[in-house]
Amino acid sequence: TFYSNRSACYAALEQWPQALDDATQCVKLRPDWSKAYFRRALALLKVGKAVEGRAMTDAGLLLEPENRDLKELRKACIEPICRDFANASMIDYKMDAAPSEDFKLVMKGRPPKGPELNEKAFPQTQRTMMHVAVMMQHAKVVKDMIARGGDILKEDRMGLTALHFNALIQHDATAAAFGDRVSEQPMSSTHNATPQEMVEATAYCVQSPPVKVKVAKEDGKVEAMDSLTFLKHFGVWYQRSVQLTDEYLRCMFSSVLDEEGAELMADPRKNELTKLFKASKEEEALGLAFISKEVGYGVFALKPFKQGDYVCSYGGVL
């Protein structure tokens, strides 16, 4: 309660970094309290981390699904995310001439007049009119093009389909425009991820499916900790994979793979390792154990490994 109230006071003074610090402490101490997630989400939004703020509202809504304040704050977090993606799409128009006049219509939120919906794309990013319509949240245009045979599975140069962008933005009207096809789960050829996996990569403290980590504590007792227990004990979230932060997303939707990056993406070992990561039960292979007060905890193998075995993915390092 103390950290929650002080975070609220800092918020009233618009001292958002301090509000965020106290809200973070509040979540660590009371990870089962929805208001703690509200405080942290608001502060994250105000310091320019809307994606992470949205994730906090999702965590709070798991605890209290009908919380009106969290629902409204989630909408507020999505607004700057939508703006960022729309602005990223505008970069295409600044870097390259529009491939056709229909691209200009789509940019303005009007359906294309011509029959060629899928053939043309921006040279640099390889984004089609469907990509543009989704990134700029022109829901009516998306619906019109899908009805006329628009391709929602075509990838841009970063390996993302219109469905991947839709999953990252999470704009309700645009998602509804896909109709039943919004449930399709194409695999990105570069990120090796489906749209749903992209959503999960922005979920942060929400573990889906839930996992437990074996921890040998200072008293020698071993406990299999779920995410809330882990948070209470260590003061940090246990995350199975690299999370898509605001900074990562800005890089993702405005970048183009160079030749070296394209070569890396084509490496067949990458696909093999991705499959191992998705299928693995890493928490059965690794655990945490207390070493000393000076050192703290270490990561230990719970089974034998040999050269070339997949162990885990941490921070993008295998």
Side-chain angles (χ1 to χ4, degrees), residues 153-281:
L153 303 179
K154 197 165 188 176
E155 293 186 346
D156 69 355
R157 190 161 285 175
M158 290 297 289
L160 299 176
T161 69
L163 283 166
H164 284 88
F165 280 113
N166 175 65
L168 290 169
I169 300 170
Q170 298 180 30
H171 182 257
D172 289 343
T174 305
F178 282 89
D180 294 340
R181 298 198 66 186
V182 75
S183 62
E184 294 183 25
Q185 296 295 314
M187 182 70 69
S188 166
S189 63
T190 56
H191 293 85
N192 275 16
T194 65
Q196 180 57 35
E197 286 166 340
M198 289 281 190
V199 171
E200 291 168 2
T202 62
Y204 294 86
C205 55
V206 181
Q207 292 289 345
S208 179
V211 294
K212 290 188 175 182
V213 187
K214 293 182 180 70
V215 178
K217 297 182 289 187
E218 188 173 356
D219 59 8
K221 294 180 180 179
V222 178
E223 182 179 355
M225 297 185 178
D226 61 21
S227 57
L228 288 182
T229 307
F230 194 93
L231 177 59
K232 288 177 181 178
H233 187 79
F234 289 104
V236 294
W237 285 281
Y238 174 72
Q239 299 170 345
R240 291 204 79 226
S241 63
V242 181
Q243 304 299 298
L244 301 184
T245 63
D246 290 76
E247 290 80 5
Y248 187 100
L249 279 182
R250 291 189 184 105
C251 176
M252 177 191 290
F253 57 49
S254 62
S255 298
V256 176
L257 285 175
D258 56 19
E259 290 183 7
E260 183 180 358
E263 183 178 346
L264 177 64
M265 290 298 106
D267 185 350
R269 177 68 171 161
K270 173 186 73 77
N271 296 326
E272 178 188 346
L273 291 170
T274 299
K275 289 178 181 178
L276 287 168
F277 167 68
K278 291 180 179 180
S280 70
K281 298 179 180 178

Side-chain angles (χ1 to χ4, degrees), residues 64-112:
E64 196 175 340
E66 299 305 318
N67 187 299
R68 184 179 301 176
D69 290 337
L70 281 168
K71 286 182 177 180
E72 289 301 314
L73 182 55
R74 190 180 193 279
K75 291 180 182 177
C77 288
I78 288 176
E79 287 180 11
I81 297 172
C82 289
R83 263 197 318 272
D84 278 348
F85 275 89
N87 289 338
S89 186
M90 289 298 297
I91 292 173
D92 287 336
Y93 288 88
K94 293 178 180 178
M95 288 197 308
D96 294 313
S100 72
E101 290 300 310
D102 275 341
F103 272 77
K104 297 177 182 179
L105 291 176
V106 171
M107 180 190 70
K108 296 175 182 177
R110 293 159 58 187

Side-chain angles (χ1 to χ4, degrees), residues 51-72:
V51 175
E52 294 165 59
R54 181 178 65 187
M56 288 296 106
T57 64
D58 288 340
L61 287 167
L62 281 179
L63 297 170
E64 196 175 340
E66 299 305 318
N67 187 299
R68 184 179 301 176
D69 290 337
L70 281 168
K71 286 182 177 180
E72 289 301 314

